[in-house]
Amino acid sequence: MALLSVFTPVLAVVLCLVIGFMLVKSRETETSSTSPSKTKGGTKGEKRPWVDQDLQDDTDTTAKEGDDDDGDWGDSTEEESLAHVPYSPLRYPEETMLQRSEEFYTLMNQRRSVRFISPEPVPREIINNVIRTAGTAPSGAHTEPWTFVVVSDPDMKHQIRLIVEEEEEMNYRQRMGEKWVQDLARLRTNWIKEYLDVAPYLILIFKQTYGILPNGKKKTHYYNEISVSISCGILLAALQNVGLVTVTSTPLNCGPKLRLLLKRPANEKLLMLLPVGYPASDATVPDLKRKHLDDIMLHM
């Protein structure tokens, strides 16, 4: 007992030293993680939610997203300060505004996902104008990170269908899970995508995960997936406006193969595939109801 009483103060001092050392090391670790070293392309190891939180696919690329090595990322050669011009859009009387809002809602409320599409030809200029409209979408730092690939060649459409159906069958049988498949059963969907052959146009929308500057270096595309998604929404509205139909398709695991088939560069990732045309004369859609305004809006 006497020996223990002698060593007790010593043990207490040693314990305090150990705890103090651990606290100092912990603070050093936090400091190093919050103050990483700088590089030309930005802060090395810095999180970039405007890029990195977008959905990824597993495409092998020669220059992957998030690489901040010196020499990979460059500064834009565009003007540092853009000229600003007056903006005076047409202002409608309130009665006209109300009427236009009701008419546009009525038009868009008729929009449905249609899987039965007519092979009847659609004038190419209409598709051009629809995509011009989609290109008016806002984007992070006005990078416009979208590529719209329009396919009308029958052989190319069929190759796309083969790729999609091969992956979709595996999705339904293995990847998606029983609950997902059951949720889709009432909509009568499966991995057979006949409309990919039948529709006069397939529009494949790719997001550009980064841009390429004239000097070959990479340019950051801020919030590229959100920007392209907004553009897709405008595209759907433009299609509805001209009386064309589509079904929004995001074929799981098809992106890499379709990117290679269409010879798109490594910085582009497939976001959406839209078969576009007139509805078939015998087209049907599920009898779905939309949520009431009170279920989707809060007014504070």
Side-chain angles (χ1 to χ4, degrees):
M1 293 295 292
L3 183 63
L4 181 61
S5 63
V6 170
F7 280 104
T8 297
V10 177
L11 291 174
V13 171
V14 172
L15 183 59
C16 289
L17 290 174
V18 171
I19 293 174
F21 177 78
M22 292 174 65
L23 288 174
V24 169
K25 294 298 290 182
S26 175
R27 288 186 179 182
E28 289 178 354
T29 302
E30 290 178 1
T31 302
S32 62
S33 64
T34 55
S35 302
S37 59
K38 299 282 184 178
T39 67
K40 288 183 181 180
T43 304
K44 191 170 184 178
E46 178 185 11
K47 288 188 178 298
R48 301 186 303 155
W50 53 90
V51 174
D52 300 325
Q53 289 183 4
D54 286 338
L55 293 177
Q56 308 285 328
D57 69 22
D58 58 357
T59 307
D60 291 329
T61 63
T62 55
K64 296 181 179 178
E65 276 187 282
D67 288 345
D68 287 336
D69 297 333
D70 289 343
D72 284 344
W73 295 86
D75 296 326
S76 174
T77 57
E78 297 173 350
E79 297 180 22
E80 293 184 1
S81 180
L82 289 173
H84 282 55
V85 296
Y87 179 67
S88 301
L90 180 62
R91 179 166 177 168
Y92 301 104
E94 289 187 2
E95 296 81 3
T96 304
M97 293 172 62
L98 180 60
Q99 179 183 353
R100 287 171 63 90
S101 67
E102 290 174 345
E103 290 174 351
F104 188 70
Y105 165 70
T106 299
L107 172 68
M108 294 309 301
N109 195 36
Q110 295 169 1
R111 189 210 58 78
R112 299 300 304 270
S113 294
V114 179
R115 294 172 174 82
F116 303 97
I117 299 176
S118 169
E120 181 181 354
V122 175
R124 175 64 184 276
E125 189 60 29
I126 293 175
I127 301 300
N128 290 349
N129 286 336
V130 163
I131 292 180
R132 283 192 187 100
T133 304
T136 67
S139 58
H142 194 61
T143 51
E144 302 177 291
W146 40 67
T147 301
F148 299 90
V149 179
V150 179
V151 178
S152 58
D153 178 74
D155 292 337
M156 182 63 75
K157 288 193 298 180
H158 188 65
Q159 291 183 63
I160 291 172
R161 178 181 178 181
L162 294 178
I163 290 174
V164 170
E165 288 187 343
E166 179 183 8
E167 291 294 334
E168 283 287 79
E169 181 174 7
M170 191 173 298
N171 292 337
Y172 273 83
R173 294 187 183 277
Q174 300 179 21
R175 299 180 181 130
M176 290 165 52
E178 184 178 352
K179 185 179 186 307
W180 191 352
V181 174
Q182 288 178 350
D183 288 343
L184 291 174
R186 68 192 186 105
L187 302 178
R188 302 179 189 174
T189 68
N190 54 43
W191 60 83
I192 305 299
K193 312 295 183 184
E194 184 179 356
Y195 51 72
L196 295 177
D197 271 326
V198 175
Y201 294 102
L202 304 181
I203 302 177
L204 295 92
I205 302 98
F206 288 82
K207 64 173 185 174
Q208 301 169 6
T209 55
Y210 55 86
I212 305 296
L213 296 170
N215 60 8
K217 294 186 177 182
K218 293 185 286 187
K219 174 184 177 181
T220 302
H221 279 176
Y222 304 94
Y223 293 108
N224 54 76
E225 182 160 302
I226 295 174
S227 300
V228 180
S229 297
I230 295 171
S231 181
C232 289
I234 295 176
L235 175 59
L236 293 176
L239 290 171
Q240 181 69 16
N241 183 58
V242 297
L244 297 176
V245 298
T246 187
V247 54
T248 51
S249 172
T250 53
L252 187 65
N253 281 49
C254 296
K257 291 181 181 179
L258 292 177
R259 181 180 69 79
L260 294 175
L261 174 67
L262 298 171
K263 296 180 172 60
R264 301 312 307 155
N267 64 318
E268 294 188 5
K269 312 293 183 185
L270 181 66
L271 188 68
M272 191 173 295
L273 190 165
L274 302 177
V276 173
Y278 299 107
S281 59
D282 58 350
T284 60
V285 295
D287 187 17
L288 301 175
K289 307 299 180 186
R290 292 190 166 95
K291 292 181 178 180
H292 189 272
L293 180 63
D294 292 340
D295 296 324
I296 64 173
M297 185 185 77
L298 294 176
H299 188 189
M300 300 183 182

